[in-house]
Amino acid sequence: MHELTVAIQIRRGLETELASDEGTLVADVVRVQVGALSGIVPEALQFAWPHAVADSATLGSARLDIDWVDVQLLCVACNDVYTLTEFRSLRCPHCRSPDVEIIAGDELDIASVDVRERARDLS
Amino acid sequence: MCTDCGCGERPADPHGHDHLHDHDHPHGHDHPHDHDRDDQVRQHDRDGTLTIRRRILQDNDDLAAQLRVEFARQNVYVVNVVSSPGSGKTELLQRTMAELRPDVRVAAVTGDLATENDAKRLGTAGAPVRQILTGTMCHLEADMVADAIADWDLAGIDVLFIENVGNMVCPSGFDLGEDLRVMLVATTEGEDKPLKYPTLTLTADVAVISKIDLAEPVECDVDLLASNLDEVRPGIEVIRTSAKRGDGIDRWLDLLRTRMVAKAAAPVG
Ligand SMILES: Nc1nc2c(ncn2[C@@H]2O[C@H](COP(=O)(O)OP(=O)(O)OP(=O)(O)O)[C@@H](O)[C@H]2O)c(=O)[nH]1
Ligand SMILES: [Mg+2]
Ligand SMILES: [Zn+2]
Ligand SMILES: [Zn+2]
């Protein structure tokens, strides 16, 4: 698995997004959305996180909050949405129609970050 | 709906590599940037929760999108081959390249953790081949492909094959700018492989069952294997092959030729 790659990409993505504030902000919480179809194992990502941000001034002490997203299929035939605890098939779990749409579960997104201004030496 | 950005679009294919619509929305990180001299005010303004709209693998997706545009401009048809270690990717590609080569200009890059062996095997047909050594990386990423082909003249290539690192999980999340993602499953791997690795099955455009010649000795029920592929991904095209004996190779080559022609005929952009 490539959870370390993913953790490093979260760091790089946030560094890009926060670039204009570099060095002045401290992040306390980083929230990501991970869908069940992403192939990512949340525990492994959690384990990799501190290694990926260890030397980052902004993210070094941030907690990673992983929002796990179950797969949701919209069945066109039933005109209903089904939440799957485990994905096995791109067919409607109710009527078996293949005319379904994945409306959740393929996320691998950065969602938000809690930041505060770095406490500065005012002397 | 595109669950990534809520923009109301959704590609026909569930995997990310058709995500060609623009995800470059402003990222919502619009806290005040007026560098106020009053630190107290600034601190107050800048503390809090910033909403970020960004895919974690966005850098890879962006580069893959660039590659796809370049491949289309130069009319290169790109095939990304993914499977478990040892399912027969190199064997199939070696044969495919040899058979196409008289009339189609083929090239290949192949990713492995270590050794140049696969590049040597693929190079026997005389086509340009590059080995990508990934070290500890369990999949190829778009920048590795871009680096590997950087000094190739794409105008001289009709089909580029990308043999991914043998892995059923990791490659599925990484778009390489390919036109066709092919998943290989060997008859020796058990009929339920597609059910065990649904994510890859979901991102594949075509499934190739390999080592058909071994189905009998290993007592693989090939029909069951094919129906399991269809269970995960209804309607997926399944081709049964033996790269050693030659079964199904004509059908596989026909599919490639048909898709290449379709791409060449499609308007660029
Ligand atoms: N009998 C038989 N053996 C095959 C066939 N295709 C591949 N093999 C054998 O299976 C073994 C693995 O094949 P490769 O082509 O190296 O597999 P691969 O997917 O490229 O492996 P990695 O690159 O290591 O992931 C080799 O010994 C091949 O000779 C086939 O159609 N029939
Ligand atoms: Mg190989
Ligand atoms: Zn991996
Ligand atoms: Zn239904």
Side-chain angles (χ1 to χ4, degrees), chain A residues 16-28:
Chain A
T16 304
E17 298 285 333
L18 300 175
S20 54
D21 299 305
E22 197 174 329
T24 69
L25 290 179
V26 179
D28 292 318

Side-chain angles (χ1 to χ4, degrees), chain A residues 90-116:
Chain A
L90 203 59
R91 285 179 192 277
C92 172
H94 183 69
C95 73
R96 306 254 320 139
S97 162
D99 193 4
V100 298
E101 227 181 279
I102 297 172
I103 57 170
D106 57 0
E107 297 79 2
L108 197 52
D109 300 331
I110 303 174
S112 68
V113 53
D114 285 359
V115 294
R116 64 191 152 80

